[in-house]
């Protein structure tokens, strides 16, 4: 996420339910760029949590690092939490600010906090740790296949996209219910709940992907069409969308980016999960 030129963007989505002191809010614009094509599926979650997860995270221009982040934490078999976010800035600059809050992100991801509670606490951390002209967009998801429930809270971040296994219907889930983290002290976030079934594929991303691929940032019609046309499974969906990102950014300078695709397996395993978590 950059802070180079103000414009209406995902950062401004929703006014939320909170109040308090408003901090400076420079909106963000991104310049897409060429990156190498690579995929690093998080195979540990296939074995331990009952989910197929494919995830790609890159700094600006395809470098390592940057201001994007995600965490994956196991709560029980078939029950995981995901936090995805984007610190304002790009490359080394964004990475430096991210390093000041990332330990707390990891701690909160393992704490058992609800998506809305997690974002509320993280908002306080960002407000206290980062300069007043810096902010972070983030969304927290909880996937519980046993309860057939997807819960999401969104702090000015790109919403998720879900494709249903039963009819391949594609829809947007979890639009922002509040400002990005660190802008309004005391901000609270609302949770949305959706049905979740085995075989449903959920795509999460930062706006480095969204703004490179999608002409209509509000409807996300191009990305939803790509998802509807993709082959079955999270890995295939991830591979297709990553390829589209490559096509759109070839020869240009890309922003930091993160792209994830998740799918619940038929039967999660029943191993010990108390200490298992992965974060990037």
């Amino acid at each position: 996420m950059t802070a180079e030129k103000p414009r209406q963007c995902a950062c401004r989505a929703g006014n939320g339910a909170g109040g308090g002191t408003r901090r400076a809010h420079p909106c963000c614009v991104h310049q897409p760029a060429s990156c190498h094509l690579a995929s690093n599926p998080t195979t540990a979650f296939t074995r331990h949590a009952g989910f197929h997860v494919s995830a790609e995270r890159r700094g600006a221009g395809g470098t390592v690092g940057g201001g994007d982040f995600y965490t994956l934490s196991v709560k029980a078999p078939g029950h995981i939490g995901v936090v995805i976010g984007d610190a304002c800035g790009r490359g080394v600059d964004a990475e430096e600010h991210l390093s000041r809050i990332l330990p707390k992100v990891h701690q909160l991801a393992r704490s058992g906090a609800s998506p809305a509670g997690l974002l509320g606490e993280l908002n306080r951390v960002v407000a206290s740790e980062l300069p007043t002209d810096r902010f972070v967009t983030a969304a927290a998801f909880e996937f519980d296949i046993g309860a057939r429930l997807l819960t999401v809270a969104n702090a000015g971040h790109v919403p998720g996209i879900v494709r249903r296994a039963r009819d391949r219907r594609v829809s947007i889930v979890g639009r922002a219910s509040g400002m990005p983290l660190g802008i309004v002290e005391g901000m609270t976030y609302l949770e949305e709940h959706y049905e979740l079934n085995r075989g449903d594929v959920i795509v999460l991303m930062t706006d480095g992907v969204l703004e490179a691929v999608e002409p209509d940032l509000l409807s996300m019609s191009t990305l939803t069409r790509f998802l509807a046309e993709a082959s079955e499974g999270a890995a295939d969906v991830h591979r297709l969308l990553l390829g589209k990102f490559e096509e759109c950014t070839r020869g240009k300078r890309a922003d930091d980016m993160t792209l994830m695709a998740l799918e619940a397996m038929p039967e999660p395993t029943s191993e010990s999960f108390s200490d298992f978590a992965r974060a990037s």
Side-chain angles (χ1 to χ4, degrees):
M1 180 185 303
T2 68
E4 298 168 357
K5 182 172 65 175
R7 68 169 180 80
Q8 187 74 15
C9 71
C11 302
R12 293 200 185 276
N15 292 322
T21 303
R22 184 176 297 272
R23 305 171 79 215
H25 180 213
C27 244
C28 302
V29 34
H30 304 268
Q31 303 297 326
S34 124
C35 305
H36 67 285
L37 179 61
S39 180
N40 50 343
T42 351
T43 54
F45 270 69
T46 298
R47 299 191 304 272
H48 294 279
F51 283 82
H52 291 292
V53 180
S54 291
E56 181 81 1
R57 172 179 173 263
R58 305 174 187 164
T63 60
V64 175
D68 286 5
F69 65 92
Y70 69 88
T71 69
L72 298 167
S73 58
V74 177
K75 301 175 182 295
H79 188 180
I80 66 173
V82 178
V83 184
I84 183 170
D86 183 356
C88 189
R90 175 187 284 168
V92 174
D93 172 67
E95 186 174 10
E96 189 277 328
H97 288 96
L98 178 60
S99 67
R100 297 167 63 176
I101 65 167
L102 202 54
K104 188 63 175 181
V105 174
H106 295 167
Q107 179 185 341
L108 287 168
R110 293 165 170 82
S111 70
S114 68
L118 185 154
L119 292 183
E121 178 60 28
L122 194 55
N123 181 61
R124 288 187 283 273
V125 173
V126 173
S128 64
E129 292 293 330
L130 298 191
T132 56
D133 63 344
R134 298 291 175 167
F135 59 90
V136 176
T137 70
F141 296 79
E142 189 167 309
F143 299 82
D144 188 344
I145 197 63
R148 299 176 61 192
L149 184 65
L150 167 62
T151 304
V152 56
N154 189 328
H157 195 73
V158 179
I161 309 174
V162 61
R163 185 184 70 192
R164 301 299 179 186
R166 61 176 176 267
D167 57 9
R168 296 184 67 86
R169 180 172 56 89
V170 178
S171 57
I172 297 172
V173 296
R175 292 191 183 275
S177 68
M179 299 294 285
L181 306 173
I183 294 176
V184 176
E185 296 177 5
M187 173 67 70
T188 57
Y189 299 92
L190 303 179
E191 291 181 350
E192 296 184 7
H193 304 278
Y194 302 89
E195 183 181 5
L196 177 67
N197 293 292
R198 301 190 189 282
D200 290 350
V201 175
I202 299 91
V203 174
L204 312 178
M205 70 190 74
T206 57
D207 54 6
V209 178
L210 176 69
E211 295 184 0
V213 175
E214 181 58 72
D216 188 339
L217 303 186
L218 183 62
S219 73
M220 299 171 67
S221 57
T222 299
L223 281 163
T224 56
R225 175 170 55 83
F226 288 157
L227 185 54
E229 296 172 353
S231 301
E232 300 296 331
D236 289 334
V237 168
H238 183 260
R239 189 178 302 112
L240 172 68
L241 295 182
L242 195 58
K244 297 296 184 181
F245 173 82
E246 293 293 335
E247 292 175 11
C248 292
T249 59
R250 190 169 293 118
K252 303 175 183 177
R253 175 165 175 75
D255 187 17
D256 303 336
M257 65 82 77
T258 297
L259 175 67
M260 306 178 68
L262 306 92
E263 177 191 9
M265 295 171 61
E267 293 296 334
T269 61
S270 57
E271 302 174 26
S272 172
F273 306 95
S274 58
D275 298 322
F276 181 83
R278 178 183 176 90
S280 177

